[in-house]
Amino acid sequence: MFAYASLLGIAKANGYIPYFPSSHPLTSIFSLSKIQSGNAECLQTVFDDRPCSYNSEFMNLPPGNISIRGYIQSWKYFRLMEKEIRKEFTLNKFVRTRATLDFTSYVGKFVRDGRPVVGVHVRRGDVLKPEARKLGFCHAPKSYLDNAMKYMLRKYPNAVFLVTSDDIEWCIENVIPPKLSDIFDSKESLHKFTNSSKIKKFQDKVPVVFSKGRDPWSDFSVLSLCNHSIITVGTFGWWSAWLANGHVVYYKNVPLPGTKLDYELTKEDYFPAHWVAL
């Protein structure tokens, strides 16, 4: 998704025609319009040696057919065409229908009550492996998720959390929202919130729903339908949060210092400035 979005932004900046193969797996999920079925003859290759950082040189490329090798994972490449990118990443009819049904089955009753849904993506599996940690990846601990949920509840005290993960059993045991009465500074501030228009009926216990998604794209699609987002590590959560387009909290203690990923990632290039680091 970064490759497609950044390609479109870079092509527009240079006045070039983007080339993205119609055989790419993304075409089975999204209604992409900027795809090509023919073969492209590239005369020159440019390399992205810092995959999670912005390279301004790509916005002023030399003439001729250009091939970009790398991940080009920065929102800054497509910041001037956000509206177009959101349109490109419209779920196709089948995926959208299935996602809507799943979303409704998970949190439909809360949505009907006017409650905002905070999507939570927890990546664990592969980032727990020694080889991943050597590269600089790490998992977000329970303490981060606790703090992120408290942060969201202070802003949206009537929220419900929808959790997806590659380790949903760990989440069921560890993703436990606090009681509203535990996160406000005083009884006076709690009284203020429970009597405001932000919360229709006071319930001290915060609802949390766990996805039993049939596949990763199912979870991704459901997350993109949420109002706000809590993400941990990786581009899966990043893009689901970007598409949801609400308030976003991300885990700030990645990558691990002194690693390859630490060199490759510039946080202000990778995370939009209005997202909140915890």
Side-chain angles (χ1 to χ4, degrees):
M1 292 179 71
F2 263 118
Y4 183 79
S6 296
L7 172 68
L8 266 58
I10 292 169
K12 184 175 182 178
N14 287 278
Y16 290 175
I17 298 173
Y19 176 86
F20 196 82
S22 58
S23 59
H24 195 280
L26 278 184
T27 61
S28 65
I29 305 297
F30 301 109
S31 302
L32 305 181
S33 67
K34 308 297 184 181
I35 56 175
Q36 307 289 339
S37 58
N39 294 322
E41 180 183 355
C42 292
L43 304 179
Q44 184 176 348
T45 300
V46 295
F47 296 90
D48 179 22
D49 64 344
R50 298 186 67 192
C52 300
S53 299
Y54 175 71
N55 185 348
S56 61
E57 294 180 1
F58 288 169
M59 312 307 274
N60 187 26
L61 293 172
N65 289 2
I66 303 290
S67 176
I68 300 175
R69 295 290 179 90
Y71 293 94
I72 43 179
Q73 296 180 147
S74 172
W75 62 273
K76 292 182 177 179
Y77 289 122
F78 49 90
R79 59 185 165 184
L80 298 181
M81 54 183 310
E82 179 176 331
K83 184 177 180 180
E84 294 96 320
I85 298 301
R86 291 190 182 280
K87 184 177 180 180
E88 288 294 313
F89 287 142
T90 299
L91 299 172
N92 68 37
K93 184 176 181 180
F94 172 77
V95 177
R96 184 170 65 254
T97 299
R98 189 176 69 168
T100 302
L101 290 172
D102 288 343
F103 185 80
T104 301
S105 70
Y106 292 143
V107 294
K109 63 180 180 179
F110 300 110
V111 174
R112 287 190 291 272
D113 288 338
R115 305 183 72 154
V117 181
V118 178
V120 183
H121 176 248
V122 181
R123 179 180 176 182
R124 284 179 56 78
D126 60 331
V127 297
L128 296 175
K129 296 178 180 179
E131 55 267 33
R133 291 188 62 85
K134 185 177 180 181
L135 288 174
F137 288 99
C138 61
H139 71 287
K142 182 181 184 303
S143 58
Y144 160 73
L145 295 167
D146 292 343
N147 290 334
M149 287 187 289
K150 288 179 181 178
Y151 176 90
M152 283 294 190
L153 286 170
R154 289 190 182 100
K155 293 185 68 67
Y156 311 105
N158 206 21
V160 55
F161 294 97
L162 174 56
V163 182
T164 73
S165 177
D166 58 357
D167 189 353
I168 203 67
E169 297 304 321
W170 182 92
C171 292
I172 292 172
E173 294 181 7
N174 292 277
V175 181
I176 305 171
K179 294 181 178 179
L180 287 178
S181 56
D182 292 336
I183 67 172
F184 292 98
D185 296 333
S186 66
K187 290 183 179 179
E188 181 180 350
S189 60
L190 177 60
H191 180 77
K192 175 183 175 183
F193 274 102
T194 57
N195 286 281
S196 72
S197 59
K198 293 182 179 180
I199 184 164
K200 291 184 176 180
K201 183 178 179 182
F202 175 64
Q203 291 179 323
D204 200 21
K205 185 177 180 181
V206 177
V208 57
V209 180
F210 298 94
S211 166
K212 297 295 179 65
R214 60 179 69 84
D215 55 61
W217 279 115
S218 174
D219 277 344
F220 179 91
S221 303
V222 166
L223 287 172
S224 73
L225 298 178
C226 293
N227 301 104
H228 309 288
S229 309
I230 294 172
I231 60 176
T232 55
V233 182
T235 58
F236 186 100
W238 194 104
W239 274 105
S240 66
W242 192 86
L243 290 177
N245 200 24
H247 203 78
V248 181
V249 172
Y250 67 91
Y251 180 51
K252 69 178 181 180
N253 293 328
V254 66
L256 296 173
T259 59
K260 182 176 184 290
L261 186 58
D262 188 31
Y263 163 76
E264 294 176 343
L265 187 147
T266 303
K267 290 191 175 181
E268 59 266 31
D269 293 347
Y270 184 73
F271 296 108
H274 61 284
W275 290 13
V276 177
L278 288 180

